[in-house]
Amino acid sequence: KLSSLNLTAFSSVSASGKISDLLNDIAVDIKANARVWLLDLKNDIPSEVFATGWADAVVFAKCKLDDLTDVNLNKIKANGDVVLTDFEAIYEDSTFVNTDKIAINFTLPSTHTAQNFKEVIDVGVSSELLKLSMTDFMNTTVENPVIRVGLPDVMDTTKDLSVACDFKMKNLAVDLVADTINAQIRNPHGSVSMVPKGKKTGYTCLMNCDSVYANVASDVAARTGTIFVDAKAEYDSTYEDVLQQWNPDVKLNFNQGQIALSAIDFPIKIAKIKCDMNKNRFKIDQSKVIVGNSDFQLTGIINNIVDYLNGEDILKGDLQFTSDYTDVMELMEMVSGMGDTTEVATDEAQATTVAASADSSAAVEEDNPFMVPLGVDIVMNTDIKKALAGKKIIEHVGGSLTIRDGVLVLEEMGFTCDAAQMQLTAMYRSARKNHLFAGFDFHLIDISIADLIDMIPDIDTIVPMLKSFSGKAEFHLAAETYLKSNYDPKFSTLRGAAAIKGRDLVLMDNETYQKISKLLLFNKKKTKNVVDSIDVEMGVFRNQVDLYPFVVSMDKYQAVLSGYHNLDMSCRYHISLTKSPLPIKLGLNLFGTLDDLKYKVGRCEYKKTFKPQKQGKVDETVMHLKQTISSSIRAGVKNQDALINE
């Protein structure tokens, strides 16, 4: 028995026990107590480490003396408790650890059997407050940590190190100095492990926590409620790409999240999300999100992640978007220009240079149109109860939205509003800010003509006769055109067709109508000028709109109208009065501009028996649009100009 052996002026050790089989393989069974001032051990620990404080230890050991001197951990039975007080440690003048008190216990051999490797040492650590810092990199504070670590035979240099750890703590605060990132995690608990697998290393993490708060400089602020993480990874250093190196497989479930981004003016609130991902797939099983004015549930799968990040292929996805209320323009602004923006940036630079050279003292103001994300192939099926599109509220929005490498396609998107039931098939492409392309097939049923003009202001330019009518009609417009950066059509590139069907429309009693009725000898009426029916087809090519012959019936009068007008509002129309109480048939030629029409009475060009033939221009334009959409989706963005001009 050794009792109170003073090693230095501050440190002492005492031991008691039994030594047997002295003449053969000596065996020891001892208990040791020690109180050590850590500076007394500076000559016995690596020079890279500086440690100060007190260590109070109680150790039990039973083994052969040779195994003890050789540190043959597999053949030593031992356990003990070590309490460090006023502890500070420095490693290579860059890593610092300090705590007022930390308790450490260990067991040989380990009784921890939950992990998938043979553990030899079982170590437990607990403290009230533990601080760790790395110079110019990280500061970490851990409150009430309780950690249990399982280790293999650390003395066996022929094997790579494995680690298994169970942890629980009240609070974990991390501050990454270089990246100005700080985070706080409340009540994190779970387990982690690291296990070599041949040339790879396997990692696992199973963690729950009550909340997370994180900041990234002034760019990102995020917080969440409860989080569950189940993550696995296999590290393989032979790959250069990070995702390939780690090959992650992560399941994530959290609620009550909120993210604030400096790039947008409103927070992103995540009521709940349940998802999992690996290096090539991101799957959303459940989500409920509020972004600005919009709320939605997003589910589905995104694939091809590694190839997309490596620039080898496009990102692919199939998603379901369900919403009670969606602010369309707000969400479009958020995703505008995602992906490769090289072409856009070049176009902006050229536009700025041209504008500056024209007037070096003038401030350059540019429009900011929606730029379709590049490098993605996403199909999104929508189910939206109510949406704000521009200034118009639409309801029951359902259909398919596809974004493919700079091309946005809406396929048979149906919706309603207070004005009408509608269906839209459309394509939008944004190669450059001032070189946009739009093609659409827009069908409106039972819409007020006034609402139609309000909904599509440019329709008053294409079909100026609309403002002469009031009432409800069926309207079908199919067109393709390039757009300026403020979405104004480049009319020299416009081609399309329109059809209008209506019954019991009111012909407005304006100056033009009064002049025509006088020349065609209409009887003046005090009541409204009700048109029994109207069925009109128009064709649009560049700056000219052709009005194909159609019949207008009003009371005892019937007339056939045809002609054309240009988008500068110059026109030439003909009206044949084919049915009237009058004994004569009159024709009227109109020419000039719509603001200054000239009239000339002439012969009728159409007989009483004339029946307009369906031109089918709308169907023809719709077919061409569908072919353009199909070609665009197949070819992507690079050759769109050639495809559209075919």
Side-chain angles (χ1 to χ4, degrees), residues 11-12 51 81 84 180 280 311 375 438 465 525 575 598 609 638:
S11 302
S12 63
D81 295 278
L84 302 175
T180 59
N280 274 320
M465 63 177 291
K525 298 182 179 181
I575 302 175
K598 294 178 174 56
T609 57
K638 295 182 179 178

Side-chain angles (χ1 to χ4, degrees), residues 428-453:
Y428 174 82
R429 183 178 66 88
S430 53
R432 299 185 301 279
K433 281 193 173 183
N434 201 38
H435 194 64
L436 312 173
F437 175 83
F440 52 89
D441 169 20
F442 196 25
H443 200 169
L444 301 98
I445 300 172
D446 199 27
I447 184 170
S448 162
I449 291 177
D451 287 332
L452 172 61
I453 295 173

Side-chain angles (χ1 to χ4, degrees), residues 62-82:
K62 185 176 182 179
C63 60
K64 300 293 184 181
L65 183 61
D66 289 343
D67 291 330
L68 183 63
T69 55
D70 294 338
V71 197
N72 190 351
L73 298 179
N74 283 301
K75 295 185 178 180
I76 298 175
K77 291 184 179 181
N79 62 82
D81 295 278
V82 180

Side-chain angles (χ1 to χ4, degrees), residues 528-566:
K528 292 181 179 179
N529 304 310
V530 178
V531 177
D532 296 338
S533 64
I534 188 172
D535 190 347
V536 187
E537 284 188 274
M538 286 156 283
V540 184
F541 185 70
R542 295 183 176 174
N543 292 301
Q544 181 171 309
V545 179
D546 291 314
L547 183 66
Y548 301 111
F550 70 99
V551 176
V552 175
S553 298
M554 188 171 63
D555 193 28
K556 297 178 181 180
Y557 293 84
Q558 180 175 287
V560 179
L561 284 74
S562 65
Y564 70 89
H565 72 269
N566 298 311

Side-chain angles (χ1 to χ4, degrees), residues 172 174 180-185 211-217 219-224 258-260:
L172 172 65
V174 180
T180 59
I181 298 173
N182 60 75
Q184 291 189 32
I185 307 175
S211 65
V212 173
Y213 177 82
N215 276 331
V216 181
D219 298 325
V220 181
R223 63 177 176 80
T224 74
Q258 181 167 308
I259 303 172

Side-chain angles (χ1 to χ4, degrees), residues 18-20 26-30 61-65 68:
K18 181 174 68 175
I19 301 175
S20 59
I26 300 175
V28 296
D29 185 354
I30 61 172
K62 185 176 182 179
C63 60
K64 300 293 184 181
L65 183 61
L68 183 63

Side-chain angles (χ1 to χ4, degrees), residues 8-57:
T8 68
F10 300 105
S11 302
S12 63
V13 62
S14 63
S16 63
K18 181 174 68 175
I19 301 175
S20 59
D21 204 4
L22 297 177
L23 299 179
N24 295 298
D25 195 358
I26 300 175
V28 296
D29 185 354
I30 61 172
K31 172 187 176 182
N33 292 273
R35 179 170 176 78
V36 178
W37 176 242
L38 294 177
L39 285 177
D40 290 343
L41 302 179
K42 64 181 180 180
N43 295 326
D44 300 307
I45 61 178
S47 59
E48 297 89 352
V49 178
F50 171 83
T52 183
W54 289 98
D56 292 279

Side-chain angles (χ1 to χ4, degrees), residues 7 13 27 85 326 334 412 516 586 614:
L7 302 177
V13 62
T85 53
T326 298
M334 276 189 59
E412 298 184 353
I516 292 174
L586 295 177
K614 285 289 184 182

